[in-house]
Amino acid sequence: MAETSEPSIMDQRRDQMFLRFSDDDLERLARFGDPRSYKSGDMLARVGEVGPGLMLILSGRVEVTRPSGAGREQIIIHERGNFMGELAQLSGRPYLVDEQALTDVEAVAIPPDRLRAMLIAEADLGERIMRALILRRVGLIETGAGPVVIGQESDAEVLRLTNFLRRNGHPYRTLDPANDSCAQTLVSRFKVEPEELPIVLCPTGQLLRKPSEDQLARCFGLVAPIDPNRLYDVVVIGAGPAGLATSVYAASEGLSVLAIDCRSFGGQAGASARIENYLGFPTGISGMALMGRAFSQAQKFGVEVAIPDEAVKLECGNDPCHIQLATGERVQARAIVIATGARYRRLAVERLEQYEGSSVHYWASPLEAALCEGHEVALVGGGNSAGQAAVYLAGHAKRVTLIARRPLAETMSQYLVERIGSLPNADVVIGCEVSALEGASDDLDAVSWRDRRSGQETRRAVRYLFSFIGAEPNTDWLQASGIKLDERRFVLTGDDVGDDRLPLETSRRGVFAVGDVRACSVKRVAASVGDGAQAVAAIHKYLADGPRPVLEIRQEPIAVS
């Protein structure tokens, strides 16, 4: 029997993706935008260019297409009552598709700020539009719109770039020159040397050779320059659960918010294969799905996002505070929230760097799971992250060996201990630590571990190693800030730095710390979200003397008949 592929998101939820509004609905929505007219053949939007925003079609027909290996692929034809756009239009980022008028077209363009106002003011219609925007982004991810990454699939540099794109919820395609003729043609045409791979073909036609994540992000408009003259109410540094929660609560209550992260939204939680103990998700949810929803929510409420942008220096003591970025840009804010979380601890074993990115990984996503198909893998760590990854990878790998220093019941949730114990292809090794890595080039062949009591060593053929041995606070960049840290370099807050401090306020006035980077915090997603809510309450108290501008909504009606 021939194999049947799983139905696409467009096949499953087409009616939700491509809504058709009634005349009454159009009239309600049109008051938020400006009228536009196009002639047959005009481009309403182009891939890689910032467009006018979400477009309501009042009359005429518009074809939506995306680049494909065969030229262009039609996605949909919009007519009266439809609207054009996806998540990028919430924040004014470049289009991922081309949109061309097939006939004369009358439309209403709703720019990002008024689109966000409309989503809130017209709650029932806004819910349907928001769902459609998210589903359209999922559809573009599924079909591989966006930049094309060309290189060997298992190459560490390819994994680095594709993980960056995936963690930021951005569509992309990968082509391997070893088995794809289009990739071979591009490599030959642009005279790409093997050491220059991977290359990335941007939606604008620009070609990048072995780009950094920052170069990649800027080539397709994921991050843009920050206005140095703008004074934000709140700048949140870090876009993990605590940072996103702070951003959502602050923006939903009318504060102007900028969220910065040096890599992607979601933090370590975004790398979790499955979270089963988060309130409200009895069947569990992947960390990426949970954080993706939070990120969309932040954009809905108007949070400005700068990813990847890295904060390198905090200057406080005067009003306002200033943050210096690695790009040389400076940001000013009335209040700062430090949500930089923690960075992964690395195993103290020789040749670790040689295998990182290709055979040694610090999270278990679908990309890594695909690499593990049919291979022996090992995981190091005894916490929930290690347990979640072991359960997830056991569904893909030939065999999983979990190596921990202490009995799992001492450090891991009971439901995970029981789940791992029931896996037929999982071994648990207690009281041991990794002692050696073996393999030619960047490919791991074997892992050895040593019993901490007896000193006896065991060697096993292992292709991939996953490390979940905890994390250290990401506070090195705060050295010159005057922010007080504890002996483990976590940020001290509240009563620990003075009787007159607000909850979660640091030793610097107007600077708050939330989530894993905060001393004595509970290292759980729910606790980080709670920190975000509490921080916003304290920020309101701190900013009580300052007036905040109110967003004006256009009320002038636009004829839709």
Side-chain angles (χ1 to χ4, degrees):
M1 183 181 292
E3 291 186 7
T4 57
S5 59
E6 189 176 332
S8 68
I9 192 74
M10 189 176 293
D11 293 334
Q12 293 176 319
R13 304 178 74 172
R14 189 181 186 87
D15 290 344
Q16 291 179 315
M17 292 174 75
F18 302 112
L19 307 172
R20 176 160 293 187
F21 290 115
S22 68
D23 291 350
D24 288 343
D25 292 340
L26 285 176
E27 189 168 356
R28 288 167 61 187
L29 298 174
R31 66 192 178 97
F32 292 88
D34 301 310
R36 295 285 182 103
S37 297
Y38 300 90
K39 296 293 186 184
S40 178
D42 285 353
M43 297 299 297
L44 282 71
R46 294 181 187 274
V47 170
E49 296 181 3
V50 176
L54 184 141
M55 302 276 282
L56 293 172
I57 307 301
L58 304 184
S59 67
R61 304 175 78 233
V62 178
E63 182 182 38
V64 181
T65 61
R66 72 171 187 88
S68 69
R72 308 213 60 78
E73 178 185 332
Q74 185 188 93
I75 298 175
I76 192 76
I77 292 178
H78 288 309
E79 298 178 320
R80 176 175 171 81
N82 295 138
F83 71 87
M84 302 174 350
E86 52 91 41
L87 280 179
Q89 280 57 70
L90 266 180
S91 49
R93 288 189 166 84
Y95 270 79
L96 296 172
V97 296
D98 287 325
E99 298 175 343
Q100 184 174 25
L102 298 178
T103 65
D104 290 352
V105 171
E106 296 297 324
V108 173
I110 305 178
D113 58 340
R114 282 183 257 156
L115 171 58
R116 295 190 295 266
M118 178 263 285
L119 292 175
I120 296 168
E122 296 286 352
D124 55 338
L125 297 178
E127 180 182 351
R128 295 166 63 196
I129 290 172
M130 191 69 199
R131 182 183 297 112
L133 297 178
I134 294 171
L135 289 173
R136 290 181 186 186
R137 172 57 65 94
V138 173
L140 291 173
I141 291 173
E142 211 174 57
T143 56
V148 182
V149 181
I150 298 168
Q152 186 179 348
E153 289 182 0
S154 59
D155 180 73
E157 289 296 304
V158 172
L159 290 172
R160 175 179 64 82
L161 295 176
T162 53
N163 258 315
F164 169 76
L165 291 164
R166 187 190 65 82
R167 290 287 301 274
N168 281 290
H170 201 281
Y172 67 91
R173 268 192 304 155
T174 56
L175 299 177
D176 191 335
N179 51 38
D180 188 280
S181 59
C182 290
Q184 293 165 5
T185 300
L186 284 169
V187 168
S188 174
R189 177 183 173 187
F190 290 104
K191 298 180 172 59
V192 180
E193 300 297 329
E195 61 271 16
E196 295 179 306
L197 289 171
I199 58 173
V200 177
L201 189 62
C202 299
T204 57
Q206 182 184 4
L207 183 78
L208 303 178
R209 299 169 190 253
K210 213 169 192 176
S212 67
E213 292 166 5
D214 182 70
Q215 289 172 323
L216 177 60
R218 292 179 190 277
C219 98
F220 58 83
L222 186 62
V223 64
I226 296 173
D227 182 358
N229 298 315
R230 181 171 184 185
L231 175 62
Y232 293 92
D233 289 325
V234 186
V235 170
V236 181
I237 307 166
L244 286 176
T246 305
S247 300
V248 167
Y249 284 119
S252 68
E253 294 176 14
L255 299 177
S256 60
V257 182
L258 171 67
I260 299 170
D261 198 286
C262 65
R263 178 165 172 77
S264 63
F265 66 81
Q268 292 190 68
S272 295
R274 195 160 195 81
I275 300 172
E276 295 193 59
N277 58 355
Y278 187 70
L279 190 68
F281 293 90
T283 59
I285 184 171
S286 74
M288 189 62 207
L290 182 63
M291 292 298 98
R293 294 179 185 190
F295 185 64
S296 296
Q297 201 171 13
Q299 293 180 89
K300 170 185 174 180
F301 287 115
V303 175
E304 189 174 328
V305 179
I307 300 176
D309 260 337
E310 183 178 7
V312 295
K313 189 177 181 182
L314 175 63
E315 299 171 357
C316 277
N318 298 318
D319 188 20
C321 290
H322 288 84
I323 299 160
Q324 185 174 324
L325 305 181
T327 58
E329 295 173 292
R330 282 166 63 85
V331 183
Q332 50 183 347
R334 300 171 66 202
I336 305 288
V337 178
I338 301 168
T340 46
R343 55 178 175 266
Y344 300 108
R345 286 198 186 116
R346 301 171 74 244
L347 293 164
V349 59
E350 290 184 8
R351 301 175 67 191
L352 177 68
E353 251 180 51
Q354 177 180 334
Y355 304 110
E356 285 180 318
S358 56
S359 293
V360 174
H361 302 283
Y362 295 91
W363 54 76
S365 75
L367 287 176
E368 287 76 32
L371 292 174
C372 293
E373 289 287 350
H375 292 287
E376 296 257 359
V377 304
L379 291 92
V380 189
N384 278 6
S385 294
Q388 290 160 355
V391 170
Y392 176 60
L393 292 175
H396 300 269
K398 180 180 178 182
R399 189 153 206 86
V400 172
T401 301
L402 180 60
I403 304 165
R405 292 188 172 193
R406 291 187 287 166
L408 297 185
E410 294 181 11
T411 56
M412 190 180 291
S413 294
Q414 188 60 33
Y415 81 92
L416 284 170
V417 176
E418 294 173 0
R419 187 80 54 82
I420 292 168
S422 69
L423 295 172
N425 62 333
D427 298 324
V428 178
V429 178
I430 300 299
C432 294
E433 58 189 9
V434 173
S435 55
L437 306 177
E438 302 174 33
S441 184
D442 299 337
D443 296 328
L444 196 60
D445 293 328
V447 172
S448 296
W449 55 84
R450 180 188 302 113
D451 189 291
R452 300 180 70 204
R453 288 188 177 180
S454 68
Q456 181 179 350
E457 293 220 10
T458 302
R459 179 185 182 275
R460 181 168 294 179
V462 165
R463 180 64 180 84
Y464 295 100
L465 176 66
F466 293 82
S467 178
F468 297 91
I469 59 172
E472 299 168 342
N474 191 8
T475 53
D476 290 349
W477 68 286
L478 292 172
Q479 285 182 359
S481 67
I483 301 287
K484 289 184 180 179
L485 311 176
D486 70 6
E487 67 280 359
R488 297 170 58 203
R489 303 195 62 76
F490 288 90
V491 180
L492 292 168
T493 60
D495 293 341
D496 291 334
V497 290
D499 295 338
D500 57 347
R501 286 297 186 264
L502 293 167
L504 304 180
E505 191 175 24
T506 69
S507 55
R508 288 286 193 184
R509 288 289 188 189
V511 180
F512 301 81
V514 295
D516 288 1
V517 76
R518 181 174 66 82
C520 302
S521 65
V522 178
K523 305 300 188 279
R524 289 288 186 270
V525 175
S528 293
V529 172
D531 270 10
Q534 187 177 16
V536 172
I539 289 167
H540 274 304
K541 198 167 186 180
Y542 174 76
L543 298 178
D545 295 335
R548 296 193 301 277
V550 178
L551 177 66
E552 293 185 5
I553 300 174
R554 290 173 55 92
Q555 298 293 334
E556 298 86 352
I558 292 174
V560 296
S561 59

